[in-house]
Amino acid sequence: MSGQNAALNERKGRNRRRRKNRSGQGSGAQGREGNRPDGQAPSSGSDATSVSQAAGQTRQADANTANGIKDAGTVNPSNRKKKRRGRRRPAQGGTANPEAQTNAHMNAAIAGKDAPLSEGAPSAKGKKAANRRGRKRWQAKKNRGQDAHTDQETPAVETETGADPQLSRPLNGVPKPDGGPRPPEPSGREQQPIRRPRTRGPEGLRNGHRRHPVHASGNAPLYAALDLGTNNCRLLIARPEERGFRVVDAYSRIVRLGEGVGAHRRLGDAAMDRAIDALAQCHRKLAERGVERSRLIATEACRAAENGADFISRVQAETGLALEIVNRETEARLAVAGCASLVDHDADGVILFDIGGGSSEIVWLDLRNRCGARGYALTRFIRSWISLPVGVVNLAERHGGVHVTPDIFEAMVDDAADHLAEFNLADDLSEAISSGKVHMLGTSGTVTTLAGVHLGLRRYDRRRVDGTWLEDTQVGGMIDQLRDMPYEARVSNPCIGEDRADLVLAGCAILEAIRRRWSCPRLRVADRGLREGILTELMAADGVWARKKNGSRQGRGRPRNR
């Protein structure tokens, strides 16, 4: 405020000096009289004479102006061009005649007093300048909001325990098209989406999801997907976005529900207690977030156990969660839906495998006639699939996972290879691989561990692991490195840890059996899977990414059933 007052005072001073210069001979006479060369002060008689002369000259100038006579030494204020912005006009209650106002200021200056400036509204130029500045500030805020909203990427997934994703608040404050106020931002913290490899899908799809938004990010409903597997309990809560979905919350815990199922065909009491504790945490997150749509599934451990249905009833009674035991075909389809965005757009085929705790799914995507289809649409090109009744938990229980010799490792490879003989169209797949445009796509803790060790990460970082390409020779070298690594070294490795140290070699044995049956030049690592597939199918069924046609949006009304 001090700087504004100084500028205002300086402007007042300039205006006073200009009025003095235009006031005529009266003020000039007094100025010359007041600065006598002899330094003597003027007498009172001379002051009275000067004042009377100045008043007479002023009256003469007013008469000349009224009679239309122009004085070369006097400038009519009404004819002056306003060169300054924001010149203040006279107030409504002030003097309306600019000549009378100028004379009043001149008389005050003759008397040695400061004439106050008239207060009033800014001029038209000042208003226009202020409006332009306001529009520029509003446009800058609008551009910043749109740029930040455009930078959002496709679905993010939490990593294993100890590598949680970053948290952020989604941007929903983009100004309305009609220039209205910005909606308030939601309170709370939400997870920041992790950037994905950007691969375009059919007709404007990116990473398997449509680019057309349906809801503002702050108003869109929340979706949840829970996967209770043989080894892990994982939860993912997300909100639909224009290019996919944004992860709001995530949870993962190793529960080993399938411990002992291979030998006794029943779920153990300790394993069920661990799983129920984890599910109680998931129920709390679902309630806090206010999830509207969800799908909660259980896989191989509950499928194979004789008391699997009883456990599901106990879960619903103690936690309020209604789990669904899905079959193996559904599990394979969900794996494809969750990882399809990582399929190479030039590939003629993909061998997708998911090495789980109690089973392993292998899917052949025949893409030779896909006609540009990408992303979620690739689920229509499943040519054949198989679910092996072997996973890292039951295979490690049969052969041991702590101290694994080369002979034990080969025995685990042979155990997994025996089940691959049941795969349909295996010879046709071998012919497709011979063309050289088929690659593997692995989604499991085994391949993510191999990628983390290959990259030499000091701490597991899914942003670097997800989407990583590995050559076939690199995969074989990493398997040999882990096989020769003692148990203590596996525990101390930041990408393995104590929870997976006794299971990672069983997963490597299953991967080695797949590689020996079908050898592909490249393998792509996916740190995503069933939960992403569940979310994709739920949102697609509700039409949240429906494309515009003739100015309207498909699926805007009731959800579509599939």
Side-chain angles (χ1 to χ4, degrees):
M1 295 300 296
S2 60
Q4 296 178 357
N5 294 335
L8 181 60
N9 294 333
E10 183 180 356
R11 187 173 62 184
K12 291 180 178 180
R14 288 198 301 267
N15 294 337
R16 286 195 296 269
R17 288 192 295 273
R18 290 173 181 172
R19 287 191 292 271
K20 290 178 181 180
N21 293 334
R22 301 190 191 103
S23 61
Q25 300 297 328
S27 59
Q30 182 181 1
R32 288 189 298 270
E33 186 69 22
N35 296 286
R36 297 174 57 179
D38 55 0
Q40 298 179 4
S43 61
S44 58
S46 62
D47 290 342
T49 303
S50 300
V51 171
S52 62
Q53 292 177 354
Q57 293 176 358
T58 302
R59 287 191 296 269
Q60 183 65 28
D62 293 341
N64 293 339
T65 304
N67 296 329
I69 302 174
K70 294 183 180 180
D71 189 359
T74 304
V75 180
N76 191 350
S78 61
N79 295 333
R80 290 201 313 270
K81 183 178 180 181
K82 296 180 180 180
K83 297 183 179 181
R84 294 180 53 82
R85 287 183 180 177
R87 287 289 298 273
R88 307 182 73 86
R89 293 181 176 178
Q92 294 180 358
T95 303
N97 188 357
E99 297 178 3
Q101 186 179 12
T102 304
N103 294 335
H105 287 302
M106 178 189 67
N107 295 333
I110 295 174
K113 300 178 181 180
D114 293 334
L117 291 175
S118 61
E119 298 295 336
S123 64
K125 289 185 177 180
K127 289 182 179 180
K128 291 181 180 180
N131 291 337
R132 283 194 297 269
R133 291 192 296 270
R135 287 194 298 269
K136 289 181 180 179
R137 288 194 297 267
W138 179 84
Q139 187 66 31
K141 291 181 181 179
K142 177 181 177 182
N143 294 336
R144 287 196 298 268
Q146 289 178 347
D147 293 342
H149 183 72
T150 305
D151 290 339
Q152 306 308 324
E153 285 292 338
T154 51
V157 187
E158 103 287 359
T159 60
E160 299 299 331
T161 304
D164 295 334
Q166 298 177 350
L167 299 177
S168 69
R169 183 174 299 170
L171 296 174
N172 71 329
V174 181
K176 296 181 179 180
D178 58 355
R182 295 161 60 106
E185 295 185 359
S187 59
R189 295 172 64 87
E190 296 186 355
Q191 293 196 0
Q192 181 179 6
I194 302 172
R195 296 188 178 274
R196 296 291 185 130
R198 298 168 68 116
T199 57
R200 293 187 178 275
E203 301 177 353
L205 294 180
R206 189 184 297 277
N207 288 343
H209 308 304
R210 299 194 181 277
R211 303 177 60 183
H212 304 289
V214 174
H215 306 281
S217 59
N219 300 326
L222 290 179
Y223 291 74
L226 187 145
D227 172 23
L228 179 61
T230 304
N231 192 45
N232 283 30
C233 177
R234 296 177 177 178
L235 173 69
L236 204 62
I237 302 175
R239 190 191 311 276
E241 294 284 340
E242 59 178 330
R243 295 177 180 173
F245 51 83
R246 169 193 287 270
V247 170
V248 175
D249 204 349
Y251 177 81
S252 177
R253 179 184 292 183
I254 295 179
V255 295
R256 296 204 178 187
L257 179 62
E259 187 176 43
V261 173
H264 307 290
R265 308 295 298 177
R266 293 185 61 86
L267 298 174
D269 294 337
M272 289 190 292
D273 292 340
R274 291 193 299 266
I276 289 178
D277 291 341
L279 291 173
Q281 296 292 330
C282 296
H283 180 268
R284 180 182 60 82
K285 288 181 175 291
L286 293 173
E288 291 177 351
R289 294 291 183 177
V291 175
E292 299 183 11
R293 289 268 283 149
S294 63
R295 188 178 184 184
L296 319 176
I297 67 171
T299 56
E300 182 63 25
C302 294
R303 281 198 304 257
E306 297 176 354
N307 58 344
D310 297 336
F311 171 71
I312 297 299
S313 301
R314 178 186 170 186
V315 168
Q316 186 170 6
E318 296 187 12
T319 65
L321 299 179
L323 299 182
E324 170 192 2
I325 301 178
V326 297
N327 55 34
R328 294 174 178 177
E329 181 180 2
T330 301
E331 189 173 355
R333 188 190 73 249
L334 292 176
V336 174
C339 303
S341 58
L342 293 180
V343 173
D344 188 359
H345 62 275
D346 293 328
D348 291 338
V350 173
I351 302 176
L352 187 147
F353 60 88
D354 181 8
I355 302 175
S359 65
S360 299
E361 283 69 39
I362 303 175
V363 182
W364 175 24
L365 293 177
D366 190 357
L367 307 177
R368 287 174 289 189
N369 297 318
R370 63 175 172 176
C371 300
R374 301 175 187 175
Y376 176 65
L378 297 181
T379 55
R380 304 195 304 264
F381 296 91
I382 297 178
R383 179 77 178 274
S384 182
W385 64 275
I386 187 174
S387 179
L388 309 180
V390 290
V392 295
V393 175
N394 52 26
L395 194 62
E397 289 178 351
R398 288 199 296 266
H399 299 276
V402 177
H403 302 289
V404 180
T405 63
D407 294 337
I408 295 177
F409 183 81
E410 290 297 326
M412 289 192 289
V413 173
D414 295 338
D415 191 349
D418 293 339
H419 298 280
L420 291 177
E422 302 175 2
F423 186 76
N424 296 327
L425 304 177
D427 295 335
D428 295 343
L429 177 56
S430 300
E431 294 179 2
I433 294 175
S434 62
S435 64
K437 293 185 178 181
V438 178
H439 70 85
M440 287 186 177
L441 179 58
T443 165
S444 65
T446 299
V447 292
T448 56
T449 299
L450 289 175
V453 176
H454 170 73
L455 296 174
L457 302 178
R458 296 183 179 180
R459 181 181 178 182
Y460 183 83
D461 185 359
R462 74 164 306 280
R463 292 171 295 183
R464 297 186 59 187
V465 171
D466 187 48
T468 299
W469 286 98
L470 296 177
E471 300 294 332
D472 184 63
T473 56
Q474 295 174 337
V475 175
M478 294 309 304
I479 292 177
D480 295 339
Q481 179 179 344
L482 292 181
R483 184 188 58 190
D484 298 337
M485 189 181 296
Y487 176 75
E488 292 76 11
R490 279 177 270 151
V491 171
S492 60
N493 191 288
C495 295
I496 301 176
E498 185 177 1
D499 293 334
R500 294 183 177 275
D502 59 335
L503 303 177
V504 63
L505 290 181
C508 290
I510 298 174
L511 175 57
E512 182 65 20
I514 298 174
R515 291 178 61 248
R516 292 180 183 180
R517 181 63 181 86
W518 300 288
S519 179
C520 293
R522 295 187 303 166
L523 165 65
R524 195 167 197 183
V525 179
D527 192 347
R528 59 182 87 179
L530 299 182
R531 294 169 302 163
E532 289 79 7
I534 293 173
L535 293 176
T536 301
E537 288 195 348
L538 288 177
M539 296 179 187
D542 289 349
V544 298
W545 300 305
R547 298 180 63 241
K548 293 181 180 179
K549 282 189 177 182
N550 298 328
S552 62
R553 219 178 243 119
Q554 291 180 344
R556 176 176 295 213
R558 57 188 179 183
R560 296 176 297 174
N561 296 325
R562 290 192 176 183

